[in-house]
C-alpha cells in the first residue's frame, strides 16, 4: 500500500475518536522513571560527512585475517546469483503469505525450499519458519515430547553448547533435559557415550521422549548415528539428528539412518556470516510427525481451473489459527533466507555441493598435518569432516596472540565450555573450500613462532613483543 503521512488534522481526529487530549496520554501507564524525555541523538550531518563517518567506523573491522573459525557458522563461497536475485523487490519486501491468491511467488519459493531440504535430509516434511539452528533444535526436542506424551529428553554433550542452552531455556513446566556424557578416551573420545546412553534410556520410571545427537558433532567428529537411533527406538523414544547441511552432500542423510526429526543451521547454504544473524533454522521430520512440526508448510495443488497453485497447508496448527494451542509461538517468516538457501543449492547442484564438502575435507586434512607439525596435535583421534580440535598449551592466550599476527585461530574451547577442564588447552579449528594453502601455512608459521617464543618479523622482543616497531608497516 502507498505510505501516507498523517497530517495535523488526521491526528486531531484520531485523538478525538479515542477521547484523549494528546498522544502522550497513550503512554500514561508507563512509569515516568522508565520513559525517556528525549532521544540522545547527535546533530544532523550532511550525507557526504555521514558517509565518511560510517566508512571510518567500518574501517575499524579487521578484514585481513586468515580465518579458521567455524563452531556452527561457516564461510563458503556464495555464487553472485544468490545475492543478486535476493535483491529483487518482490522477494526483498515479501511478508507472510496469508492470501495465496496474491502470494503465489512467495509460496512457490517456500515450496521449492522445502522440497530441496527434504531431498537433502531424506525426510518427508520440512518447515520454513525457524530463526536459527538452536531454535530449530529446541523445537525438535519439544516435538518429541508432544508426539510421545513423555517429558524427558536426552541431549548429547557433543551437541553445540548454545543449542543445548537453548533447549534448556525452551523446556519448562515439568519438562526435563538430561545430557549424555562423552567418551573420555580412546578411539571414540569426544563422541556420545553409547553405554551411558543405554543406562539413561533404561530408567523405566522416567521414559525418554527423544534423543538428540549431532552429525558432525560440535567437535567436528562423526557420531555413530544409526546406533544412537537404534537405542532410542528400542525404548519408544524418537531420534533427532542435529546436522550441518553441506556435510549431507557426502555423509548419510538423517532419513537413511532412521532419524525421526532433523534440525540444523542453514547459514552455510548461501548466507554469509554476518555478526550473528539473521540465520535460518532447518527443521524436517517424517510424515508421522507432520501434525507436530511448527511453522509454515506449503503444499502444491490446483485451482478451480486446474492450474498448478501453492497454498499453506495444515493451517489448523499455525500460529495465526491456533494461538495458545499452536505447536510454537516462536516462529517467523524466514522466506527470504530460505530462498537464499534454495538458490544456492540449485545453483551448485548435487555435484557442486558435494565438491564443496569434499574440498573442505581436503583442506582440513592439510590443516591438521600443518598444525601437528608445529606441535598442535588433534585432541580427538576419531574421524572428522572439516572441523577438529587441537591441543595448544595456553590456548586462550595463544588465540589472542595469533589475532595480533593476522590469524583468527578458530575458537578457544575454554571460552564456550569453561567448566570442562579437558578443553582448557584446546582450539576448535575449521577449513572450508575457500581456505587456501597460503592461509594454512600462515597459521602454522605464526603458531610455531608463538610456541617457540619467537617474536614476529618487525616486532621487538620483550614486554611489548606484539606491538609493531616504528619501522613496521601497519596492516592498513
Amino acid at each position: 500500500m502507498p505510505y501516507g503521512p498523517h497530517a495535523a488534522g488526521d491526528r486531531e481526529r484520531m485523538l478525538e475518536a479515542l477521547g484523549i487530549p494528546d498522544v502522550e496520554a497513550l503512554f500514561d501507564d508507563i512509569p515516568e522513571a522508565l520513559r525517556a524525555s528525549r532521544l540522545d541523538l547527535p546533530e544532523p550531518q550532511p550525507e557526504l560527512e555521514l558517509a565518511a563517518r560510517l566508512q571510518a567506523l567500518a574501517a575499524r573491522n579487521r578484514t585481513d585475517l586468515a580465518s579458521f573459525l567455524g563452531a556452527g557458522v561457516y564461510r563458503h563461497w556464495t555464487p553472485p546469483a544468490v545475492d543478486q536475485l535476493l535483491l529483487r523487490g518482490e522477494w526483498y519486501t515479501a511478508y507472510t503469505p496469508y492470501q495465496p491468491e496474491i502470494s503465489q511467488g512467495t509460496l512457490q519459493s517456500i515450496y521449492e525450499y522445502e522440497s530441496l531440504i527434504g531431498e537433502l535430509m531424506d525426510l518427508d516434511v520440512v518447515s520454513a519458519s525457524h530463526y536459527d539452528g538452536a531454535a530449530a533444535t529446541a523445537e525438535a526436542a519439544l516435538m518429541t515430547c508432544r508426539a510421545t506424551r513423555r517429558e524427558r529428553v536426552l541431549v548429547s554433550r557433543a551437541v553445540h553448547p548454545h543449542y543445548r542452552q537453548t533447549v534448556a531455556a525452551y523446556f519448562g513446566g515439568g519438562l526435563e533435559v538430561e545430557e549424555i556424557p562423552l567418551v573420555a578416551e580412546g578411539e571414540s573420545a569426544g563422541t556420545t557415550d553409547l553405554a551411558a546412553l543405554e543406562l539413561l534410556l533404561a530408567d523405566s520410571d522416567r521414559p525418554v521422549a527423544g534423543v538428540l545427537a549431532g552429525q558432525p558433532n560440535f567437535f567436528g567428529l562423526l557420531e555413530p548415528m544409526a546406533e544412537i537411533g537404534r537405542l532410542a527406538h528400542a525404548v519408544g523414544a524418537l531420534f533427532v539428528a542435529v546436522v550441518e547441511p553441506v556435510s549431507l552432500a557426502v555423509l548419510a542423510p538423517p532419513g537413511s539412518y532412521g532419524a525421526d526429526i532433523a534440525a540444523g543451521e542453514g547459514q552455510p547454504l548461501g548466507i554469509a556470516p554476518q555478526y550473528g544473524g539473521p540465520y535460518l533454522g532447518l527443521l524436517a521430520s517424517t510424515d508421522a510427525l507432520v501434525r507436530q512440526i511448527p511453522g509454515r508448510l506449503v503444499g502444491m495443488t490446483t485451482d478451480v481451473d486446474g492450474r498448478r497453485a501453492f497454498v499453506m497447508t495444515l493451517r489448523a496448527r499455525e500460529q495465526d489459527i491456533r494461538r495458545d494451542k499452536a505447536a510454537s509461538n516462536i516462529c517467523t517468516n524466514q522466506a527470504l533466507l530460505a530462498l537464499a538457501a534454495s538458490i544456492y543449492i540449485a545453483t551448485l547442484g548435487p555435484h557442486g555441493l558435494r565438491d564443496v564438502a569434499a574440498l573442505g575435507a581436503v583442506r582440513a586434512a592439510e590443516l591438521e598435518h600443518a598444525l601437528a607439525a608445529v606441535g598442535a596435535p588433534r585432541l580427538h583421534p576419531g574421524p572428522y569432516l572439516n572441523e577438529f580440535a587441537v591441543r595448544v598449551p595456553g590456548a586462550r592466550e595463544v588465540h589472542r596472540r595469533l589475532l595480533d599476527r593476522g590469524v583468527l585461530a578458530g575458537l578457544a574451547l575454554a571460552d564456550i565450555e569453561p567448566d570442562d577442564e579437558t578443553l582448557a588447552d584446546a582450539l576448535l579449528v575449521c577449513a572450508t573450500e575457500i581456505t587456501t594453502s597460503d592461509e594454512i601455512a600462515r597459521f602454522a608459521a605464526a603458531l610455531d613462532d608463538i610456541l617457540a617464543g619467537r617474536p614476529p618479523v618487525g616486532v621487538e622482543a620483550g614486554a611489548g613483543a606484539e606491538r609493531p616497531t616504528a619501522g613496521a608497516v601497519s596492516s592498513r
Side-chain angles (χ1 to χ4, degrees):
M1 69 183 79
Y3 170 69
H6 298 303
D10 298 327
R11 291 193 291 271
E12 290 297 329
R13 285 192 294 274
M14 286 189 283
L15 292 173
E16 183 179 354
L18 292 170
I20 56 176
D22 51 40
V23 173
E24 288 299 312
L26 293 171
F27 306 100
D28 284 345
D29 55 340
I30 301 176
E32 191 67 33
L34 300 179
R35 296 170 61 182
S37 58
R38 62 183 297 275
L39 295 177
D40 186 17
L41 297 175
E43 291 299 316
Q45 287 183 284
E47 187 172 344
L48 191 61
E49 293 179 18
L50 180 60
R53 170 63 176 156
L54 293 175
Q55 287 173 351
L57 290 173
R60 294 166 58 184
N61 294 319
R62 292 290 299 273
T63 60
D64 59 330
L65 298 175
S67 178
F68 298 87
L69 181 62
V73 176
Y74 302 94
R75 299 184 312 135
H76 291 287
W77 178 77
T78 299
V82 175
D83 289 338
Q84 194 60 44
L85 290 173
L86 288 182
L87 287 172
R88 291 184 61 91
E90 57 264 52
W91 298 125
Y92 214 56
T93 59
Y95 189 56
T96 306
Y98 291 116
Q99 296 173 281
E101 62 273 20
I102 61 170
S103 302
Q104 284 299 293
T106 298
L107 287 165
Q108 181 175 353
S109 77
I110 297 174
Y111 179 85
E112 300 290 355
Y113 162 80
E114 292 176 350
S115 301
L116 288 166
I117 298 300
E119 186 173 350
L120 196 62
M121 299 281 200
D122 192 23
L123 287 168
D124 308 312
V125 182
V126 177
S127 172
S129 306
H130 306 283
Y131 287 97
D132 54 26
T137 300
E139 294 288 5
L142 290 173
M143 284 176 66
T144 68
C145 294
R146 290 194 299 272
T148 62
R149 300 185 182 277
R150 298 176 180 179
E151 300 177 343
R152 180 178 172 226
V153 167
L154 305 179
V155 184
S156 169
R157 279 192 60 82
V159 169
H160 196 299
H162 292 165
Y163 290 21
R164 288 187 276 121
Q165 292 167 14
T166 304
V167 171
Y170 269 55
F171 272 49
L175 299 180
E176 181 182 0
V177 181
E178 278 188 68
E179 293 188 346
I180 312 163
L182 307 182
V183 177
E185 55 188 23
E187 289 298 314
S188 299
T191 62
T192 306
D193 189 331
L194 298 183
L197 173 59
E198 280 195 89
L199 289 175
L200 290 168
L201 290 170
D203 187 350
S204 57
D205 293 331
R206 299 160 62 234
V208 172
V211 176
L212 281 66
Q215 183 74 328
N217 69 21
F218 177 63
F219 304 110
L221 300 169
L222 304 187
E223 293 271 11
M225 299 296 275
E227 183 63 14
I228 295 172
R230 185 190 67 79
L231 292 173
H233 292 151
V235 296
L238 298 176
F239 178 36
V240 179
V242 183
V243 297
E244 191 283 310
V246 172
S247 73
L248 297 179
V250 293
L251 299 180
S256 71
Y257 50 73
D260 302 286
I261 306 169
E265 174 56 64
Q267 175 274 325
L269 302 175
I271 303 168
Q274 43 198 339
Y275 300 100
Y279 292 144
L280 171 66
L282 306 177
L283 187 60
S285 76
T286 60
D287 266 333
L289 296 170
V290 66
R291 293 285 180 180
Q292 303 300 335
I293 194 168
R296 294 173 177 86
L297 306 180
V298 173
M300 184 168 65
T301 183
T302 56
D303 65 12
V304 293
D305 297 319
R307 297 172 300 187
R308 184 179 68 164
F310 299 92
V311 294
M312 285 202 292
T313 188
L314 297 178
R315 290 190 65 189
R317 57 111 190 87
E318 276 293 340
Q319 297 95 304
D320 56 313
I321 302 297
R322 296 291 296 276
R323 300 187 183 232
D324 60 313
K325 294 181 180 179
S328 173
N329 283 300
I330 314 178
C331 290
T332 186
N333 179 40
Q334 294 291 85
L336 186 66
L337 297 169
L339 177 62
S342 300
I343 299 170
Y344 177 84
I345 294 172
T347 302
L348 266 64
H351 299 296
L353 196 63
R354 182 193 61 199
D355 290 344
V356 169
L359 186 54
V362 170
R363 293 300 188 202
E366 182 182 347
L367 177 63
E368 178 197 349
H369 295 146
L371 297 184
V374 298
R378 283 184 62 206
L379 184 65
H380 308 112
Y384 65 93
L385 186 61
N386 70 318
E387 191 167 21
F388 55 91
V390 293
R391 190 177 299 282
V392 179
R396 274 177 165 168
E397 177 61 15
V398 169
H399 188 278
R400 184 192 66 77
R401 295 177 68 185
L402 283 166
L403 276 175
D404 292 333
R405 299 176 187 232
V407 177
L408 177 53
L411 175 71
L413 286 173
D415 287 336
I416 199 167
E417 290 278 33
D419 298 329
D420 191 335
E421 295 182 0
T422 65
L423 304 178
D425 292 324
L427 295 174
L428 183 67
V429 296
C430 173
T432 68
E433 83 283 2
I434 64 174
T435 304
T436 66
S437 295
D438 286 345
E439 289 173 332
I440 292 171
R442 180 176 165 189
F443 185 2
L447 181 59
D448 188 30
D449 284 344
I450 290 172
L451 295 180
R454 294 189 294 268
V457 176
V459 174
E460 298 172 341
E466 300 298 335
R467 291 195 297 271
T469 64
V473 178
S474 167
S475 63
R476 296 206 174 275

